[in-house]
Amino acid sequence: MNLFYAIVGEDVPNSLERRLSARPAHLARLQQLQLEGRLLLAGPFPAIDSPDPGPAGFSGSLIVAAFDSLGDAQRWADADPYVAAGVYAAVKVQPFKKVLP
């Protein structure tokens, strides 16, 4: 049974260059989740109050997707290219209950 899980990555300071380098591989994994009908939403947190933060970069990311278990969601998060590239200082995975819409 697929349940939703929220994956919240917190960026290291000055992560923009690392993000840009690992972004194609990171997006490919998200697109795979989308093709499988498991992705609810995904996106970064701009470091400033702007849809395009430019050189200020991002402070982290949020992914909400369906997995069979918390363990499966954690393993998926641990294998993210942003983790391997050192973009994230920390990643939290927790169950998510979609209520609306």
Side-chain angles (χ1 to χ4, degrees):
M1 176 166 130
N2 282 341
L3 303 171
F4 285 116
Y5 294 90
I7 300 168
V8 180
E10 179 184 330
D11 281 27
V12 299
N14 303 309
S15 63
L16 187 57
E17 188 174 313
R18 292 178 189 180
R19 267 183 171 271
L20 293 175
S21 176
R23 189 169 190 262
H26 172 77
L27 289 179
R29 295 179 82 231
L30 292 172
Q31 289 166 343
Q32 184 60 42
L33 285 178
Q34 186 176 19
L35 286 172
E36 295 169 2
R38 297 169 45 201
L39 184 63
L40 184 61
L41 64 92
F45 300 119
I48 60 173
D49 190 14
S50 171
D52 181 6
F58 300 91
S59 63
S61 302
L62 169 65
I63 299 164
V64 180
F67 294 92
D68 288 331
S69 68
L70 180 59
D72 286 346
Q74 185 68 59
R75 282 185 288 280
W76 188 91
D78 290 344
D80 193 289
Y82 280 178
V83 171
V87 172
Y88 293 147
V91 178
K92 182 177 181 180
V93 180
Q94 60 190 46
F96 179 84
K97 182 178 178 181
K98 182 178 185 266
V99 176
L100 294 171

